[in-house]
Amino acid sequence: MDKIIMKNLRFYGYHGVLPEEQEDGQNFIIDLEMYLGLHKAGNSDDIKDTVDYGKVYGIIKEITESNKFRLVEKLAEHISREIMSTYKEIDKVSVTVKKPEAPIDGEFDWVGVQIVRSRNG
């Protein structure tokens, strides 16, 4: 299966369980992989035969910056649902949400979740 990959998309949002996460916000990094057939676009060289990742970026930005979720699982689920409902040609999507500034007492690069959703379960 072919895929379109979007890595390290950066947004500022207000997601988290703690009150300060909901009030002060923090940076989030999102990776997206969209599985679909790209053979037609590869032959036609026409944007209408593929998924416009500029529009996908806009969807992710809107969801991440305009909502407040307690869990990054909810953010990832919301992104996956919106992408799959907007683009019927996508068979499967993988969404990774990273929190590089999670309120954890220790050293780390990021914590987060990855979900994979497909049309056939």
Side-chain angles (χ1 to χ4, degrees):
M1 174 83 34
D2 305 322
K3 62 183 170 178
I4 295 173
I5 303 166
M6 301 176 75
K7 294 281 185 188
N8 297 320
L9 310 177
R10 298 177 188 278
F11 305 100
Y12 199 84
Y14 297 85
H15 314 290
V17 175
L18 300 177
E20 56 268 21
E21 292 179 290
Q22 293 272 318
E23 294 167 15
D24 300 335
Q26 62 189 293
N27 292 300
F28 291 86
I29 302 168
I30 298 174
D31 296 339
L32 181 71
E33 294 184 358
M34 298 169 283
Y35 295 79
L36 69 160
L38 296 174
H39 184 12
K40 186 174 181 182
N43 286 315
S44 71
D45 199 25
D46 192 328
I47 188 78
K48 72 176 174 51
D49 293 327
T50 190
V51 170
D52 182 339
Y53 45 80
K55 291 181 181 178
V56 171
Y57 181 92
I59 290 169
I60 297 169
K61 179 180 174 63
E62 175 69 23
I63 292 168
T64 305
E65 294 182 350
S66 298
N67 291 283
K68 286 187 179 185
F69 300 118
R70 295 188 52 187
L71 302 177
V72 291
E73 291 87 342
K74 177 73 173 183
L75 174 59
E77 189 69 38
H78 199 80
I79 291 169
S80 70
R81 272 195 237 138
E82 189 63 29
I83 298 300
M84 294 287 283
S85 68
T86 302
Y87 297 99
K88 304 299 184 203
E89 61 269 47
I90 296 175
D91 296 316
K92 181 170 79 170
V93 66
S94 172
V95 180
T96 303
V97 177
K98 305 171 190 175
K99 285 178 74 170
E101 301 160 9
I104 297 173
D105 186 20
E107 289 190 39
F108 59 93
D109 289 333
W110 56 270
V111 298
V113 300
Q114 180 180 48
I115 65 167
V116 178
R117 300 293 180 263
S118 64
R119 294 209 183 273
N120 48 354

